Amino acid sequence: MHIKHVRAKSGPAYRQAGFTLIELLVVIAIIGMLSSVILASLNSARIKARDARRLADLKSIQTAIELYYSDNNSYIVTASGGTTVTSALGSVLAPTYIQKVPKDPSRADNTTTGYLYCSTDVQSYALLADQEKTNAYCVVAEGNSGNCGWATTYSACQ
């Protein structure tokens, strides 16, 4: 009778397939750090995209205002402090000069943080937007828009 030699299932000669708990924790920690870096950079890209949208919106509104001026030989007059674009221009410009007056992509347009419009005479106006990246207002103006005070207070939108 032969006695068969059986190797033990422990020790350096035997290794089970798989990962240890420490290896798994290290991998999870690395993935967590990478995802936080990626999310931070994505948030910055979103802010830049919203600011680009604001500039495009202001150009669309400006074009509609100029079309209105071409037909009426005057700009829409508002109070000297300005008002939101949707309340000042919404019913006048849409749908004849612009399909729909755009709203700020991330802020309520019924407060002072949306797009603002000001014209105290029929020959000038100013549009104001709050940019997220710089956390400052920028202005698009035509004519003697200093009567609103914005053109001399804020930088031009770029």
Side-chain angles (χ1 to χ4, degrees):
M1 170 172 229
H2 263 113
I3 298 179
K4 193 173 183 184
H5 182 58
V6 179
R7 182 177 279 196
K9 291 187 178 185
S10 64
Y14 180 78
R15 174 147 169 94
Q16 275 188 323
F19 297 103
T20 65
L21 181 61
I22 299 294
E23 291 169 334
L24 287 174
L25 290 174
V26 168
V27 169
I28 290 170
I30 291 171
I31 290 172
M33 286 187 294
L34 288 175
S35 64
S36 66
V37 168
I38 290 171
L39 286 176
S41 65
L42 282 178
N43 191 36
S44 173
R46 287 183 184 133
I47 288 172
K48 288 179 185 177
R50 285 192 297 267
D51 281 347
R53 165 88 187 275
R54 286 181 183 95
L55 293 178
D57 286 350
L58 287 182
K59 292 295 180 191
S60 297
I61 295 167
Q62 186 177 25
T63 301
I65 291 170
E66 294 299 334
L67 289 171
Y68 177 89
Y69 182 84
S70 177
D71 286 350
N72 299 289
N73 203 28
S74 68
Y75 294 115
I76 303 158
V77 177
T78 64
S80 61
T83 185
T84 62
V85 167
T86 50
S87 63
L89 308 175
S91 61
V92 178
L93 296 179
T96 306
Y97 301 101
I98 192 170
Q99 184 176 4
K100 182 181 175 185
V101 176
K103 294 184 179 183
D104 189 285
S106 66
R107 297 181 174 108
D109 235 12
N110 58 359
T111 66
T112 58
T113 58
Y115 303 137
L116 298 177
Y117 173 81
C118 178
S119 177
T120 57
D121 62 40
V122 295
Q123 297 301 311
S124 65
Y125 71 91
L127 288 169
L128 193 68
D130 187 8
Q131 295 181 313
E132 282 181 82
K133 183 179 180 192
T134 59
N135 200 21
Y137 287 98
C138 73
V139 67
V140 172
E142 181 64 39
N144 183 20
S145 57
N147 56 7
C148 297
W150 296 346
T152 57
T153 307
Y154 304 110
S155 63
C157 294
Q158 298 179 24

